[in-house]
Amino acid sequence: MVFRNWDKELTEENLREQIAQAKQAWKTAEATEPRAESVQYNQSEDLIVIKLKNGAIFSFPPKLAQGLEGASPEQLADVWLPPSGSSVHWESLDVDFGIPELLAGIFGTKSWMAD
């Protein structure tokens, strides 16, 4: 069976090649990008604390992050990581941040951060 994907044919061979490329990209990201091991909200210090897999610890006050400012302690504590550790999520707030972006100081959209 042949599927058309824009101007490139998608055959079983091409699909296998794309899967292999995706697996290699994942391995590269795992080896080179920061990944979180754990995340929690420290209410007494009003900080989101992220422990990275390399042993480093990163924290920031929720008021810096788009969607977290004004959230209740209960909402802030309801945070989770996917198995990859590539991002943090607050389901009840509908807020997601990538770990590399947080470490780079990106706490929201460009327009939000400009305010």
Side-chain angles (χ1 to χ4, degrees):
M1 179 181 283
V2 176
F3 297 96
R4 294 275 177 203
N5 185 10
W6 300 102
D7 61 345
K8 183 177 179 181
E9 276 190 19
L10 184 60
T11 62
E12 283 191 43
E13 183 180 328
N14 288 342
L15 183 58
R16 280 193 208 99
E17 182 181 324
Q18 288 181 9
I19 291 170
Q21 289 173 356
K23 286 180 179 180
Q24 184 57 47
W26 177 80
K27 286 180 183 179
T28 300
E30 283 291 306
T32 60
E33 293 181 7
R35 299 290 191 218
E37 181 177 282
S38 66
V39 61
Q40 66 179 23
Y41 172 61
N42 180 324
Q43 185 174 353
S44 64
E45 294 186 30
D46 192 30
L47 291 172
I48 304 298
V49 180
I50 300 170
K51 183 175 180 186
L52 302 178
K53 289 183 178 182
N54 67 4
I57 297 173
F58 174 74
S59 64
F60 63 94
K63 66 181 180 183
L64 290 182
Q66 184 176 7
L68 300 184
E69 75 285 38
S72 72
E74 293 77 22
Q75 289 173 311
L76 293 170
D78 186 27
V79 58
W80 62 276
L81 295 170
S84 68
S86 62
S87 57
V88 292
H89 305 278
W90 286 265
E91 188 82 25
S92 64
L93 299 170
D94 193 25
V95 173
D96 303 289
F97 289 100
I99 298 300
E101 290 77 14
L102 287 173
L103 293 175
I106 301 170
F107 295 101
T109 63
K110 287 181 182 181
S111 62
W112 186 87
M113 290 184 63
D115 288 340

